[in-house]
Amino acid sequence: MLKTIEVTANFISEQIKDQAEIGIILGSGLGGLVNEIEISAKIPYNEIPNFPVSTVEGHNGTLIFGTLGGKKVLAMQGRFHFYEGYTMKEVTFPVRVMKKLGIEHLLVSNATGGLNPDYNIGDLMIINDHINMFPEHPLHGKNIEELGPRFPDMSQVYTKELRHKARLIALKNNIDVKEGVYVGVQGPTFETPAEYKMFRILGGDVVGMSTVPEVIVARHMGMKIFGISIVTDSGVPGEIVEISHEEVQEVAMKSEPKMTLIMKNLIAEI
Ligand code: HPA
């Protein structure tokens, strides 16, 4: 595992010829932030040794390196989902590589179903905590001490200062932003009304099929994390309608500029 991480990190390092400072993982329909990056290197996932290749429509598989908000960023345009058939080790491998490259900050975005009745479709939510409902844990198995502790603390997963900064940026730019709990599920089915209800009772504000594995692995290695969700559909009783992946992407793309603005300004302040 350590050797594999090193091989991949060395490959990326040679391609980008620079020190990356911030890692970004962009959710489906949320790749627009890339247009703001002054790009100096673009590496398709299928050219990166040991990288899995993304299969889902609308999930571009490209690693992008460049400057954003005055910082050197390494952005994953498209992530690996557990539902695609990857193991948890594969899903989280790029985060291991980011850390090996010297990246200490991880910013993630995702599309979600809203559980909190105060949320509307198109809303942004800063993630302040998560509930892991995945059936397999990314740290399952022998712990590699060089990467992090056997029993990582999870009391402060989403860095308080970053959340605070993001809220101020939103306020300054007249962007309404919520803050709440992300429930991570395996998918690929969207929830039944009874499941949405259950996740709300459990304490969730939104539900989605990603993020939690990558974030756990990032915390395992002591990285600082900022996560933001876009509410693309409603899981609130009485508001639930039939949805599709295309509709989720469409709503995500509409709210994307607000998210991009927050991310870009936050990066400048890190
Ligand atoms: N549930 C799970 N994942 C999602 C949803 C949802 O309603 N919307 C977007 N991703």
Side-chain angles (χ1 to χ4, degrees):
M1 170 91 144
L2 288 174
K3 188 74 201 152
T4 316
I5 295 167
E6 196 181 332
V7 166
T8 307
N10 286 344
F11 173 85
I12 294 169
S13 213
E14 278 165 25
Q15 300 283 313
I16 66 180
K17 301 178 189 76
D18 207 340
Q19 173 63 53
E21 297 170 287
I22 293 167
I24 306 171
I25 305 178
L26 299 166
S28 70
L30 301 172
L33 179 67
V34 164
N35 300 329
E36 302 282 322
I37 301 175
E38 211 179 290
I39 299 173
S40 49
K42 246 180 169 176
I43 322 170
Y45 291 166
N46 60 10
E47 289 178 12
I48 305 173
N50 307 316
F51 244 53
V53 177
S54 190
T55 55
V56 181
E57 214 183 303
H59 295 171
N60 283 327
T62 316
L63 196 60
I64 286 157
F65 178 72
T67 310
L68 180 66
K71 304 281 188 327
K72 301 286 180 191
V73 300
L74 188 65
M76 287 180 69
Q77 195 176 27
R79 58 151 61 87
F80 303 109
H81 297 88
F82 186 66
Y83 62 73
E84 291 176 88
Y86 302 114
T87 64
M88 278 301 192
K89 297 278 181 291
E90 289 173 323
V91 167
T92 57
F93 181 73
V95 181
R96 296 288 190 203
V97 173
M98 281 180 178
K99 171 74 182 185
K100 183 74 189 169
L101 286 167
I103 292 171
E104 294 291 343
H105 287 84
L106 179 67
L107 275 55
V108 295
S109 68
N110 52 55
T112 61
L115 303 169
N116 186 324
D118 295 337
Y119 293 6
N120 296 307
I121 289 171
D123 275 358
L124 296 182
M125 188 197 85
I126 295 168
I127 305 174
N128 63 16
D129 205 348
H130 73 226
I131 297 174
N132 179 15
M133 296 298 286
F134 280 87
E136 189 187 308
H137 201 283
L139 302 181
H140 175 92
K142 189 178 182 319
N143 186 55
I144 301 172
E145 289 296 323
E146 289 89 336
L147 297 177
R150 171 73 290 187
F151 301 107
D153 175 71
M154 287 282 143
S155 64
Q156 284 247 26
V157 177
Y158 300 87
T159 309
K160 205 170 168 182
E161 300 86 71
L162 297 179
R163 284 189 275 129
H164 182 65
K165 279 189 171 118
R167 270 201 311 274
L168 289 180
I169 291 163
L171 192 68
K172 222 193 285 174
N173 290 280
N174 261 324
I175 297 170
D176 175 43
V177 67
K178 310 283 198 277
E179 189 161 344
V181 176
Y182 177 98
V183 181
V185 296
Q186 65 170 318
T189 45
F190 293 112
E191 286 65 37
T192 63
E195 287 166 345
Y196 281 124
K197 190 175 164 188
M198 173 184 72
F199 291 134
R200 179 63 184 155
I201 291 167
L202 288 180
D205 292 294
V206 297
V207 56
M209 303 175 198
S210 65
T211 300
V212 169
E214 296 104 309
V215 162
I216 287 174
V217 162
R219 270 315 292 156
H220 182 234
M221 299 183 293
M223 293 169 82
K224 290 205 162 110
I225 298 150
F226 175 76
I228 190 160
S229 299
I230 291 183
V231 179
T232 57
D233 51 275
S234 179
V236 175
E239 292 177 12
I240 300 167
V241 293
E242 199 176 317
I243 49 161
S244 65
H245 180 60
E246 289 69 32
E247 284 163 316
V248 163
Q249 283 190 289
E250 213 171 285
V251 177
M253 270 187 264
K254 261 192 223 150
S255 288
E256 210 265 348
K258 292 187 289 179
M259 190 207 80
T260 292
L261 190 147
I262 293 174
M263 288 277 228
K264 189 177 161 183
N265 283 278
L266 182 63
I267 288 166
E269 289 185 28
I270 286 175

